[in-house]
Amino acid sequence: MKHISQQEDRHRNLQCSGSPINVVLALALIASAWSGSICAQEPASRTIPARVLPAPDTVSPVLQKRFQQAPSPNPAIPKTAEEWKALAATPPVVSQMLVGLRNKFGITIVPEIINGVHCYVITPKVINPINKHRLLLGLHLGGFVFGEGENGTGVLESMVTAGLTGYKVIEIDYRMLPEYPFPAAMDDAMAVWKEVIKTNKPGNIGIFGTSAGGSMALSLVQRAKKEGLPLPGAVVSGSPWSDMSKTGDTYYTNDGIDNMAANGAFWDAVVKLYANGRDLKDPLISAVYGDFSGFPPTFLVSGTRDLFLSNTVRVQEKLLQAGVPTELVVEEAQPHTGFLIAAVLDAPEGAHLYSYVERFFDAHLGH
Amino acid sequence: MKHISQQEDRHRNLQCSGSPINVVLALALIASAWSGSICAQEPASRTIPARVLPAPDTVSPVLQKRFQQAPSPNPAIPKTAEEWKALAATPPVVSQMLVGLRNKFGITIVPEIINGVHCYVITPKVINPINKHRLLLGLHLGGFVFGEGENGTGVLESMVTAGLTGYKVIEIDYRMLPEYPFPAAMDDAMAVWKEVIKTNKPGNIGIFGTSAGGSMALSLVQRAKKEGLPLPGAVVSGSPWSDMSKTGDTYYTNDGIDNMAANGAFWDAVVKLYANGRDLKDPLISAVYGDFSGFPPTFLVSGTRDLFLSNTVRVQEKLLQAGVPTELVVEEAQPHTGFLIAAVLDAPEGAHLYSYVERFFDAHLGH
């Protein structure tokens, strides 16, 4: 990625848009596209001027407020393991939300060690009868730093999924940073996968995850294929962190627009810690570079403001090229993980999205 | 849409992000989302600072160059019918491209009047045998101003579609601005629809269109439903201009990033001229407000830089809510109509997209 000065940038743009004469003639919407191809200067960085972003009036009022807030600044990089832990601690407001969701869906949470890995078995009061012999495996969000534990946002995510889709969920409380870089989290996920397929038909199991977990869901399939293990029946990957090398256009177009995820020194430090010396484009680190042939049907979700929209659609392109049945939903005006926020805040957009997820699992899982 | 001063904007944001204490505690990626809900100020406009947009290194080199060029300025608003015509005239470079595509796909173009409407019957040398009793109906792009005639970008679009999918296409050269505002274009499309279903099974016919034409494709189905006419077997709508009222988040997030479509006085004038006094949110003007129940399977395509990404995903949400089988493809780093540019420039992304379109039509059209 080459960064050049604004002045140089402006100069290159002028060189291009000022000539040849066809470009001037063909000012309008479509004509300019075709004539543009004759302008063959080297691609340069472009400066996008400051702009006013109105609140989106195409989403529910509660989301309008939430998505329009200024982005929270990224935290400072912790210096000790204790500082990492303190940063990752669940804020009280999340614990309150957990209680609310637990009551709403009549959820029981049972901690369980599966093949040596700490998990939570999350069962909603109402399990759809057709899902009696089905199971979802949850790989939680949180950038390999956040979301841990019974009061964490990982369990919150799984409760939303269990409650809104009517499935039993096994949430994998995988090992995280700073103590456990790659491949600890994926080793935990694989250990659980190997165990649950002993007592459940693999085709009856759906895998889901968001952000870091969304990428882990893809990696799980890629690794299971390599190890000759059976594959799950379907995968739901929400806004996956499928490229940790900050490659992808919306890392730049949506930076500062997305108020949930932003580039910066903090996440650079997380990536470095997680990769532990590996190339960031290693397919084991960044799933988008992996092999998608033979994948089970895969559902992807992102939002128009999502920093990870490119991470999502680049995975879709790989899946489509591999001939995998794929569904993509892109949510209007939503930032990173917006569909989960919508569900937690009881906005209709959340219920809608999870109804599509339920429909998708139902169409593709055995029973 | 309320615009407020930058100062007021900054003030509101500070009010929010500075309190309460939970927001400060919960700085990190996910925790901030849940705690954010407690900040309940009125949604305000936000100022997005200027930023440097690197060239996208996730697309083919030819597209990297093309999509990174500075946006062409919108033209001045013509003052006379003659000035409109001059503006809409095909630039020589497009005529050259037409010849190239015609040779490449061995295409014959036959002008034909169908039920009083000027059309082109566009036949590629190679028609897939399974498509022998199938037909595509093309509603071209160009914002109700551009694309007309045998040398226009409308025919170019249809030649790409015919050549890359192996179908016979009837391209509707519908009446346009400035002489013919709404409902002339749609009346033409309906007249052709009524005629072609006399000699073809409606379920064997696919409708496609991009931008203005993408919205017309949706309107055609909505209007056929209302008039009790049979519906086509499948619809492909590329980056539809489904909301002419400039409602939708990416009208703002992608303005200046998309180098093919941009807001401005020119397009405001086009919209006003087209709507001819009607409310811009009238479903007959802006198809996203129409009824999507009972739609045939619909394929949507947009790009991450597309000004009309919201126009596209808002249609998807309506279709999903109506239970219509829907496929959405969002192309990495592509501006408005980027997939067509990719096809014309022979970038692999173009061939890929049209292979998905072919697969989609093949799955849903009768034969």
Side-chain angles (χ1 to χ4, degrees), chain A residues 28-29 33-34 44 46 48 51 53 68 146 153 249 252 256 260 305 310 316-317 321 328 332 352 356, chain B residues 28-29 34 44 46 48 51 53 68 146 153 249 252 255-256 260 305 310 316-317 321 328 332 352 356:
Chain A
L29 180 64
W34 321 120
R46 253 209 272 154
I48 308 298
R51 95 268 313 279
L53 179 62
Q68 194 60 9
F146 303 98
T153 44
D249 206 45
Y252 301 94
M260 286 298 300
R305 290 189 179 189
S310 287
Q316 182 191 34
E317 175 63 14
Q321 277 300 295
L328 169 69
E332 163 70 353
H352 290 177
Y356 312 145
Chain B
L29 180 64
W34 321 119
R46 253 210 273 155
I48 308 298
R51 94 269 312 278
L53 179 61
Q68 194 61 9
F146 303 98
T153 45
D249 205 45
Y252 302 94
D255 195 26
M260 287 297 302
R305 289 189 180 189
S310 287
Q316 182 190 33
E317 175 63 15
Q321 278 299 296
L328 169 68
E332 164 70 354
H352 290 177
Y356 312 145

Side-chain angles (χ1 to χ4, degrees), chain B residues 5 9 17 23 26 33 41 54 62 64 106 121 161 168 172 176 184 209 280 289 300 303 305 314 321 331 348 357:
Chain B
S5 74
D9 176 36
S17 62
V23 177
Q41 99 284 29
V62 61
Q64 190 177 17
V121 181
T161 310
K168 183 173 96 169
I172 306 177
M176 296 202 292
L280 298 183
Y289 301 104
L300 301 163
R305 289 189 180 189
R314 290 174 65 215
Q321 278 299 296
E331 298 273 353
V357 169

Side-chain angles (χ1 to χ4, degrees), chain A residues 6 143 265 351:
Chain A
Q6 286 195 22

Side-chain angles (χ1 to χ4, degrees), chain B residues 292-304:
Chain B
F292 288 88
S293 62
F295 255 59
T298 301
F299 181 103
L300 301 163
V301 52
S302 180
T304 64

Side-chain angles (χ1 to χ4, degrees), chain A residues 188-362:
Chain A
D188 286 356
M190 292 310 296
V192 175
W193 179 245
K194 282 174 195 166
E195 191 63 27
V196 295
I197 56 177
K198 289 181 186 166
T199 49
N200 297 272
K201 287 185 188 166
N204 288 14
I205 306 173
I207 310 281
F208 74 90
T210 302
S211 195
S215 189
M216 288 178 72
L218 304 172
S219 293
L220 186 146
V221 175
Q222 290 169 347
R223 208 165 132 176
K225 274 199 314 175
K226 269 198 189 156
E227 297 181 18
L229 296 168
L231 304 183
V235 175
V236 171
S237 177
S239 192
W241 201 4
S242 62
D243 195 328
M244 296 185 80
S245 75
K246 235 193 295 186
T247 301
D249 206 45
T250 62
Y251 273 111
Y252 301 94
T253 56
N254 277 338
D255 195 25
I257 288 171
D258 185 331
N259 68 359
M260 286 298 300
N263 301 319
F266 175 77
W267 289 107
D268 291 347
V270 168
V271 166
K272 201 176 165 194
L273 209 51
Y274 178 75
N276 201 14
R278 276 189 183 254
D279 181 352
L280 298 183
K281 294 193 179 181
D282 182 329
L284 296 171
I285 299 288
S286 294
V288 73
Y289 300 105
D291 175 18
F292 288 89
S293 63
F295 255 58
T298 301
F299 182 103
L300 301 164
V301 52
S302 180
T304 64
R305 290 189 179 189
D306 188 358
L307 195 75
F308 288 6
L309 177 58
S310 287
N311 282 341
T312 309
V313 305
R314 290 175 64 216
V315 167
Q316 182 191 34
E317 175 63 14
K318 289 290 190 85
L319 289 164
L320 289 171
Q321 277 300 295
V324 175
T326 307
E327 275 186 59
L328 169 69
V329 174
V330 175
E331 299 273 353
E332 163 70 353
Q334 292 197 3
H336 189 55
T337 72
F339 58 96
L340 266 170
I341 301 172
V344 170
L345 299 182
D346 257 340
E349 288 90 337
H352 290 177
L353 190 273
Y354 279 92
S355 75
Y356 312 145
V357 169
E358 183 185 0
R359 195 155 73 191
F360 173 79
F361 276 136
D362 194 52

